[in-house]
Amino acid sequence: MSIIFIVSPLNSTMITRAFSAFILALLPTLVMTQPLIDEKRDYQWIIGETEFVNDFSAGNILDFKDSVVKRTVQYQPFKMRTTVASVCDPLGKLQAYTNGQFVADKTGYTMQGSEFMTSGPYGGYYGLEVLQGVLMLPVPNSNKLVLIHPFYGPTANPDIQKTYYLRYSTIDMSLNGGKGAMTSYNQLLIDNELDNGMITACRHANGRDWWILVPELATARYFRLLLDPTGVSLIGEQTLEPGIGVEAGLCQAVFSPDGETYVRSKGKTKYKPDTIGIYDFDRCTGLLSNLRVITHADEELFIGSFNAISPDSRYLYHTSGFYLYQYDLKASDIK
């Protein structure tokens, strides 16, 4: 599970719009049809940060285990802003979390061995600044977690960064008295330039493993990863019609809870309108098909493009700043 933050614009109107997009991006989008052992893995999310006090930054835990979401203060050894991912244990208690550069254990201290993980020169004080920039998942049939993270670096334009390749690190939760320790670091998964973030996962049809999709930068190609009891590996690639545009940007990708639909959007750019790509997804093969494209020419802000899908997998909610749209994914003509 990844939790997404938006760095808010300066004026109050845009802050309100960006906050609306932020709330939409926080809605749960992981597949709900999981084995019972994993159904509580996403109960608690870490969000927010303030200035350091006594070497710790105050953030919040959002707890979704009850019908009313509860918020408690969490003190953490590093700041968490744009890139955030967390995993609970099978009982729904926070187990580990990361800002893309550092990892904390369940006690709120930096996890043993995680200082060897690196996500490039843009990690550091606030961690990464990439939406859906990291992914943390339990390895099936084990006490391990896998953390999938990019190497994020500069381009010729100092105001633009990009993902040069994708790596993973492994955490063994049986070590260090149950607090966990990182045991492998920065293992190469994909040696290609990737789009910014949009690393998301869906439960495999076998009910045990995970599919992970990652889009390439400035192409219509997707990389297909599989997480199974042996670990995570690159299974294949798929190239589809460009459809939603190929510029990198502030964007989000989600799976429907039933795993049958994948939605990826691209926020408005100088050259293209806010655009949504809706695909069918095969949970057996990990392949996409049946692309449907929706554009919003009335959007004028350059603040991003965000999506969520209802728990019954029927309704898509989308915003890029001015409006909130609802689409019926079961309609014969979604647009």
Side-chain angles (χ1 to χ4, degrees), residues 172-208:
D172 190 334
M173 293 306 305
S174 67
L175 302 178
N176 197 23
K179 292 185 290 185
M182 189 167 285
T183 55
S184 67
Y185 325 93
N186 311 316
Q187 304 297 303
L188 184 64
L189 275 172
I190 302 174
D191 188 12
N192 287 80
E193 295 180 359
L194 304 173
D195 207 338
N196 293 334
M198 290 180 283
I199 306 171
T200 190
C202 176
R203 179 70 72 174
H204 193 289
N206 64 19
R208 181 196 67 185

Side-chain angles (χ1 to χ4, degrees), residues 313-325:
S313 299
R314 178 164 184 174
Y315 296 104
L316 166 66
Y317 297 90
H318 171 84
T319 185
S320 61
F322 276 112
Y323 305 102
L324 176 65
Y325 299 92

Side-chain angles (χ1 to χ4, degrees), residues 158-169:
D159 296 325
I160 299 176
Q161 296 83 44
K162 66 181 177 182
T163 300
Y164 284 90
Y165 41 80
L166 195 69
R167 302 190 290 192
Y168 75 95
S169 300

Side-chain angles (χ1 to χ4, degrees), residues 94-221:
L94 191 63
Q95 191 172 38
Y97 57 94
T98 180
N99 64 1
Q101 183 69 17
F102 305 102
V103 180
D105 62 28
K106 63 183 180 182
T107 67
Y109 286 86
T110 303
M111 180 173 286
Q112 179 180 313
S114 65
E115 65 272 15
F116 299 113
M117 185 188 84
T118 178
S119 295
Y122 285 89
Y125 187 64
Y126 290 106
L128 290 184
E129 298 280 358
V130 187
L131 300 180
Q132 290 183 291
V134 296
L135 187 66
M136 188 183 291
L137 289 171
V139 178
N141 300 343
S142 77
N143 290 321
K144 295 180 179 180
L145 304 175
V146 65
L147 179 60
I148 298 171
H149 51 99
F151 184 87
Y152 194 55
T155 65
N157 183 338
D159 296 325
I160 299 176
Q161 296 83 44
K162 66 181 177 182
T163 300
Y164 284 90
Y165 41 80
L166 195 69
R167 302 190 290 192
Y168 75 95
S169 300
T170 305
I171 297 168
D172 190 334
M173 293 306 305
S174 67
L175 302 178
N176 197 23
K179 292 185 290 185
M182 189 167 285
T183 55
S184 67
Y185 325 93
N186 311 316
Q187 304 297 303
L188 184 64
L189 275 172
I190 302 174
D191 188 12
N192 287 80
E193 295 180 359
L194 304 173
D195 207 338
N196 293 334
M198 290 180 283
I199 306 171
T200 190
C202 176
R203 179 70 72 174
H204 193 289
N206 64 19
R208 181 196 67 185
D209 303 335
W210 291 91
W211 290 113
I212 302 158
L213 292 189
V214 184
E216 190 176 39
L217 178 68
T219 75
R221 181 161 60 162

